Amino acid sequence: MIVQSPLLEELGLKINNHDICRIDIAAPVLKEVTLEPNGLLDAEWSITQVIAHLPVTAFSVLELDLETERHTFGPMMLCLLRIQPTMQKLKVVLARDKVRVPCPVNCPCKHPINWRSEDVSLANLEVVEIHGLQGEDDEVDFLKIILRCATVLQRLTMTISDDVSPSNNGYKKICSIMKEHPDVECHIMASSSEGVLYP
């Protein structure tokens, strides 16, 4: 795919696996790219390949709508953050199965195994929004990475799924993490209302 336009500011792409290595964009004022994978783009890791092949050296905003089903999303997110470490805002909307079935033993979503202890340079990241949290361990661990590595983070906003109660162990862990970072403006909201659950 070749796109050349000196005035193009927004671009929407529907892509297949075989499109990944054939993207060539020459648009000097391009501000927004929307990638919509179709059914053939079925591996979570493919989106990291797509972003790595985009001829854009720096994103200021990265917004992702992820249908992770039963998979761990932390390792994939680390790959994306390493590809675009200069972003200033990150927004992630998670769609996860309410009943989590463990993925296969050697599923790529679990690699690298030590992803929870890895660091990534996020020197410009100021705002993070994560919607659809269920209090799962991988979500808690990803929040820890963000708060550990985003040294200039100003605001973290999370929306919790309706079926997660304040007595949920994962919810309690998230609140505990927030208390450890009083310099960051943190909010937890319920997805079904405008009410703020935390602070």
Side-chain angles (χ1 to χ4, degrees):
M1 172 185 301
I2 299 174
V3 178
Q4 295 181 339
S5 173
L7 303 176
L8 185 66
E9 294 187 9
E10 295 182 16
L11 176 64
L13 298 173
K14 290 188 177 182
I15 52 175
N16 298 317
N17 273 333
H18 63 273
D19 292 330
I20 290 173
C21 295
R22 300 186 307 169
I23 300 175
D24 186 6
I25 302 171
V29 296
L30 185 64
K31 294 179 182 176
E32 181 178 326
V33 176
T34 302
L35 300 175
E36 184 180 335
N38 68 20
L40 296 176
L41 192 68
D42 53 9
E44 279 191 44
W45 296 103
S46 296
I47 192 66
T48 62
Q49 296 168 7
V50 170
I51 290 177
H53 282 87
L54 285 175
V56 180
T57 56
F59 294 158
S60 59
V61 178
L62 179 60
E63 295 188 11
L64 298 168
D65 288 346
L66 298 176
E67 293 185 18
T68 60
E69 297 178 352
R70 57 190 180 174
H71 297 289
T72 298
F73 78 102
M76 180 195 63
M77 288 301 304
L78 280 178
C79 288
L80 289 173
L81 293 174
R82 285 194 175 104
I83 293 168
Q84 292 295 336
T86 60
M87 77 183 74
Q88 296 172 326
K89 179 180 178 181
L90 172 65
K91 179 179 178 180
V92 180
V93 178
L94 290 173
R96 310 188 92 169
D97 292 340
K98 289 187 178 181
V99 178
R100 296 283 303 278
V101 178
C103 31
V105 176
N106 293 320
C107 184
C109 80
K110 296 181 180 178
H111 296 285
I113 296 173
N114 63 339
W115 70 271
R116 291 170 169 84
S117 61
E118 290 192 11
D119 288 330
V120 60
S121 175
L122 299 172
N124 298 313
L125 188 60
E126 298 178 353
V127 177
V128 174
E129 292 181 30
I130 305 177
H131 301 273
L133 289 175
Q134 295 181 352
E136 299 287 341
D137 288 342
D138 62 326
E139 298 169 355
V140 173
D141 292 331
F142 179 69
L143 288 173
K144 288 179 181 178
I145 292 171
I146 289 290
L147 288 163
R148 181 174 71 237
C149 298
T151 55
V152 297
L153 186 65
Q154 297 174 8
R155 188 170 72 250
L156 173 58
T157 304
M158 293 159 285
T159 303
I160 301 292
S161 295
D162 292 332
D163 54 341
V164 177
S165 71
S167 61
N168 176 281
N169 191 40
Y171 177 83
K172 290 178 180 178
K173 287 180 182 178
I174 291 171
C175 289
S176 177
I177 295 168
M178 301 302 98
K179 291 175 183 176
E180 294 173 10
H181 298 273
D183 52 327
V184 178
E185 180 187 335
C186 297
H187 299 282
I188 301 175
M189 295 177 287
S191 59
S192 62
S193 70
E194 298 295 325
V196 176
L197 301 175
Y198 179 95

